[in-house]
Amino acid sequence: MSVRTRFAPSPTGFLHIGGARTALYNWLYAKHHGGQFILRVEDTDAERSTAESMQVILDGLQWLGLDWDEGPGVGGDFGPYNQSERGEIYDRYLAKLEAGGYVYEDDGAIRFRVPDRTITVNDLVCGEVSVNLKEQGSRRYNTETKQEEEANPDIVIKRPNGGYIFHFVNVVDDIEMGITHVIRGEDHLSNTPKHLALFEALGATPPTFAHIPLNLNPNGTKMSKRDQGALIHEYQESGFLPDAVNNYMALLGWSAKDDREIFSMAELKDLFDFDGVNNSNSKFDYDKCKWVNGEHLRHLSNGELQELAGPFLSRSGIPAADDRVPAALQLTRERAQLLSEIPAVIATIFESEVSYDDAAVAKVTGQDDIQNKLSALTAGLANSSGWDEVEIKAAISAAAEGIGVKMGALMLPCRVGVMGSTSGADLVPVLVLLGQPEVIRRLKGFSALLD
Ligand code: GLU
């Protein structure tokens, strides 16, 4: 039987990194096994579900490249894929439960009778979890009286207002849509015995379950939407690459058998399986995520880098069509971890006036004999007959020799004089791109500034 997995978000908020990782694991597992990945919208909670939230989720999945084989906008043989449009199917399944004597009415609600025996979940990640729902549900802790009280263990599956409850529609749809593997967050593990009881009452073979560990903040607290890195649309805005985010999300709970950490989507598809998923909670680390992004950025082709960096350059006022852009972008590969960090690395090349960083200037003004160094440097570079990296280095080296200092002693004044800062791209390639007249102009301007 072909593998069929599903991502079943409730459109009540943004696409969170935990949800996106669940989608990714479902997608990878289906693709690894040549199966199908289905997107199902769990929007039975009409009050909390919104079209905007759904759009954010769809956009996030699309940005990540987690395309669905069946679902909204794509269709498929098992639609509709929004639970709010599947009322007739749920009515049909409720009739089956009624016919089997599994349900009864209670104050206008419909309750499913839970069996009085041990139910064991055999989870691919968490192992065996056993529970007796009747025993477990018969007592409930009342947070107001702070006491245990008797409770009805039977599960409400339909509200008095006619709306169906999550547990029921979730199980019905997994049956109807032929889902073979339910991969979801560990927060749903405690629901699974109820779901198994429903599968059994409906005469259906349950899917295989895999509950993946939660993704927490570095200090072990639950991530909230306000935490850095929590929301997928912010990754796009911050200049992450979708495949890098997928790569990092894959590592939140999964590892390859070797120590590798950088993977393309094709590699993840090849390697991903549950034997690599661990059962302890993962800790989200924004810096590590940025590092992964930097690695992906470095491996982009020149064309890809140019296309992806384009919008970030334009936003910073760097004309993306400038013919120095392709060469300038090469200088950013080792210096930027995010697309949004690229403009700052090369901005000076495109500025008509140097913006001097005070701390950098102070490092140079504190040097002995700075005017002598600057004039030797300026004269040496002005006299260079050619203007490639080799010729520029030779000119700086000769200028240094001429005044009896090491070449290194001229590099910092040159960098600060021309680029205004001690950070940014490598100096000599920047000099090449700026061209000889502009470099001389900047050095003279800097010397005048220091006078
Ligand atoms: N709608 C549920 C959620 O967003 C999905 C649960 C499941 O994957 O079975 O948590």
Side-chain angles (χ1 to χ4, degrees), residues 47 94 104-111 155-165:
E47 271 166 32
L94 178 60
Y104 61 92
E105 202 191 314
D106 177 20
D107 254 346
I110 306 284
R111 282 190 188 263
I155 312 161
V156 172
I157 59 170
K158 195 176 185 185
R159 296 187 190 92
N161 70 5
Y164 285 105
I165 296 282

Side-chain angles (χ1 to χ4, degrees), residues 6 8-10 40 42 166 170 174 182-184 187-188 195:
R6 81 321 187 253
S10 305
R40 179 172 82 221
E42 301 215 323
F166 159 72
N170 185 268
D174 285 340
V182 168
I183 303 164
R184 60 186 175 190
D187 46 336
H188 283 292
H195 296 184

Side-chain angles (χ1 to χ4, degrees), residues 267-282:
E267 288 167 330
L268 286 176
K269 237 188 308 187
D270 264 2
L271 294 167
F272 184 84
D273 224 328
F274 279 99
D275 51 4
V277 175
N278 59 55
N279 62 1
S280 50
N281 291 333
S282 53

Side-chain angles (χ1 to χ4, degrees), residues 49 88 119 138 157 163 172 179 205 227 230 250 256 286 295 300 309 311 351 363 369 374 385:
S49 301
E88 281 170 28
I119 295 180
S138 295
I157 59 170
V172 169
I179 301 303
T205 309
D227 289 318
Y286 193 73
E295 293 297 303
L300 290 178
E351 279 163 0
K363 279 190 189 155
D369 226 9
L374 281 174
S385 55

Side-chain angles (χ1 to χ4, degrees), residues 295-315:
E295 293 297 303
H296 278 257
L297 215 52
R298 210 160 297 163
H299 293 114
L300 290 178
S301 71
N302 294 347
E304 286 167 334
L305 180 61
Q306 206 173 329
E307 192 186 322
L308 292 163
F312 290 87
L313 296 180
S314 306
R315 234 175 280 161

